[in-house]
Amino acid sequence: MSIFFNSQYSIEELEQFRDENGFIDLTKAGVEFIEGTREEAGNPSRVKNWVNFQGTKALIKGESIRDEEQNYGIYAELIVEEAAKQVGQKTAHYDLIKFVDEDGEYRLGVLSVSVLESSKEQLVTLRDIIGDEPEEASDFIDTTGYEFTVTKLEEELRKDGYDEQNIASVITEYKKRLVFLLAVIETDQHTENIAFKQSKVGGKNWIELSPNYDRESAFMLDNDISTIEKLLEDYVGLRESVDAAHPRIGTLKTIEEGGFESFWKDTFEALCEDDEIYDYYEENIRGAIDIEEVIERVEQRIRAPLPEDVKLIVKHTYDIRNEQMEKIMDGEMVIEEQVDISMLLKLITNQGVADKIHTSEQVQIGKTMQRDILLIGQDREDGTRGDFMR
């Protein structure tokens, strides 16, 4: 890990530097970003520096800006934190910050408190443990197979000498985390964004799932602001976008195999085939997130209102996804249009790989083809399109 910039203030004392929009001004608090404090991993063009706030270590992240378009991802971090607290998921702590960059311009970002509670703990990512899925076994673009992760994780933990009870507990908590991530529509929790804490307990190796972190893609808040504005004006388009918001760890079944047209649904169904995970969903996740309360708690924390579009997109996307998950569990989700989109996209992807087309191009081709196919469902006599049903 990089060295830390030592702040003269504690996390609690930063409150005096919070502005009217809810952002803590780190420049006024005297925080400096130097090369030695930079996080070693990640995008080199994005601010990622470590600061020690009087004993509390935190990572400072500048907001992610793609193609010069801003998004609301920094708000997602705080919103998911409060949602996680409601349903009993361990979560990292976030706060809004701003700072003056090297060009003298103010930039926005978040402060993320380290998930490690002592120097005796070590953080390892899921990818550190299981490695990469063999390319020939993968059905996805830039996504790791859910079944592969579970099987490989159990296998590697057993090799490392963890006892069976510890392994079973870790696997169960991992599955519960994936269900929660589906519920909050987090689309960037790849194998490097899910981690575990290793330590010694009673002289024995111990491992546990780390608190949830890095969730700026949740509730579709990583879309650029202009896209979110358009989606809020087009509810049908918003529903389709939520339906197409897939995880980075998932399972895929063709329609002939009983699968859905959206692989997040196949992933959710596969997770809930485990009775303990099914019960966890029914008791802890199903309709359990009170979005109004979540938003209220975030606003109380930052002492400022969230942007209206942030509140609207979070409310709508959660309601849509929660409704879809409930239909799947109640056996009400069926597919009316027998178009195997998932298999078609797989064929397109394989062809793209063969023709050496870059991943970003594959994704764009896939999205275009999927959109065109979905339009088939709109060509009905009454001019409307119903939801896909299983």
Side-chain angles (χ1 to χ4, degrees), residues 286 311 314 329:
R286 180 172 178 140
K311 293 190 279 190
V314 170
M329 285 296 96

Side-chain angles (χ1 to χ4, degrees), residues 4-11 13-14 17 24-34 37 47-54 56 58-61 97-102 106 110-111:
F4 293 86
F5 175 85
N6 291 308
S7 172
Q8 60 181 308
Y9 298 101
S10 67
I11 289 285
E13 291 171 335
L14 292 178
F17 302 107
I24 295 170
D25 191 331
L26 292 183
T27 299
K28 289 184 177 179
V31 173
E32 298 177 15
F33 302 127
I34 58 177
T37 67
V47 170
K48 274 193 174 183
N49 288 71
W50 287 98
V51 179
N52 183 350
F53 293 100
Q54 297 294 301
T56 300
L59 180 65
I60 306 302
K61 295 198 303 180
I97 55 93
K98 66 179 184 179
F99 56 91
V100 175
D101 67 9
E102 57 187 15
Y106 263 106
V110 289
L111 174 157

Side-chain angles (χ1 to χ4, degrees), residues 50-90:
W50 287 98
V51 179
N52 183 350
F53 293 100
Q54 297 294 301
T56 300
K57 298 176 176 64
L59 180 65
I60 306 302
K61 295 198 303 180
E63 63 182 331
S64 175
I65 300 177
R66 297 186 294 271
D67 300 323
E68 299 184 355
E69 286 266 18
Q70 286 186 297
N71 58 61
Y72 291 127
I74 54 177
Y75 294 104
E77 302 281 22
L78 281 72
I79 292 169
V80 176
E81 177 184 349
E82 293 302 326
K85 291 176 183 176
Q86 279 193 355
V87 298
Q89 279 282 330
K90 294 180 180 179

Side-chain angles (χ1 to χ4, degrees), residues 6 21-22 34 37 49 76 120 123 152 167 174 180-181 196 199 216 235 244 275 328 330 333 350 354 371 376 389:
N6 291 308
N21 295 314
I34 58 177
T37 67
N49 288 71
K120 296 180 180 180
L123 194 70
K152 190 68 172 178
I167 293 172
Y174 168 64
F180 171 71
L181 295 174
F196 301 83
S199 60
E216 59 192 17
Y235 191 68
D275 289 343
I328 292 171
D330 294 341
M333 183 73 72
N350 291 342
R371 183 173 60 250
I376 296 171
M389 299 294 180

Side-chain angles (χ1 to χ4, degrees), residues 234 236-237 240 337 339 341 367-381 383-386 388:
D234 176 15
V236 172
E240 291 178 353
E337 308 297 341
V339 180
I341 296 172
K367 287 182 177 178
T368 300
M369 291 294 292
Q370 186 178 36
R371 183 173 60 250
D372 291 344
I373 293 168
L374 287 173
L375 287 175
I376 296 171
Q378 296 179 347
D379 296 332
R380 299 182 177 181
E381 292 183 1
T384 62
R385 176 183 179 276
F388 276 107

Side-chain angles (χ1 to χ4, degrees), residues 17-182:
F17 302 107
R18 194 181 297 278
D19 70 11
E20 67 278 5
N21 295 314
F23 291 82
I24 295 170
D25 191 331
L26 292 183
T27 299
K28 289 184 177 179
V31 173
E32 298 177 15
F33 302 127
I34 58 177
E35 189 60 32
T37 67
R38 179 169 177 78
E39 166 65 58
E40 297 169 357
N43 184 348
S45 64
R46 184 179 184 183
V47 170
K48 274 193 174 183
N49 288 71
W50 287 98
V51 179
N52 183 350
F53 293 100
Q54 297 294 301
T56 300
K57 298 176 176 64
L59 180 65
I60 306 302
K61 295 198 303 180
E63 63 182 331
S64 175
I65 300 177
R66 297 186 294 271
D67 300 323
E68 299 184 355
E69 286 266 18
Q70 286 186 297
N71 58 61
Y72 291 127
I74 54 177
Y75 294 104
E77 302 281 22
L78 281 72
I79 292 169
V80 176
E81 177 184 349
E82 293 302 326
K85 291 176 183 176
Q86 279 193 355
V87 298
Q89 279 282 330
K90 294 180 180 179
T91 176
H93 174 62
Y94 285 82
D95 211 332
L96 299 178
I97 55 93
K98 66 179 184 179
F99 56 91
V100 175
D101 67 9
E102 57 187 15
D103 297 321
E105 300 289 335
Y106 263 106
R107 301 294 181 188
L108 305 179
V110 289
L111 174 157
S112 173
V113 174
S114 172
V115 297
L116 295 179
E117 298 174 353
S118 83
S119 59
K120 296 180 180 180
E121 294 179 332
Q122 180 182 1
L123 194 70
V124 294
T125 69
L126 179 59
R127 185 171 182 265
D128 291 333
I129 299 174
I130 69 173
D132 294 317
E133 184 176 18
E135 186 175 329
E136 64 273 12
S138 176
D139 291 320
F140 305 100
I141 303 171
D142 203 23
T143 300
T144 305
Y146 157 68
E147 290 83 359
F148 166 76
T149 66
V150 172
T151 302
K152 190 68 172 178
L153 179 58
E154 185 174 2
E155 177 185 309
E156 292 300 318
L157 293 182
R158 191 167 285 122
K159 284 181 182 178
D160 289 340
Y162 294 99
D163 67 48
E164 292 300 317
Q165 186 174 357
N166 190 189
I167 293 172
S169 173
V170 166
I171 296 293
T172 297
E173 292 307 309
Y174 168 64
K175 291 179 180 180
K176 290 178 180 179
R177 175 67 51 78
L178 294 185
V179 171
F180 171 71
L181 295 174
L182 289 176

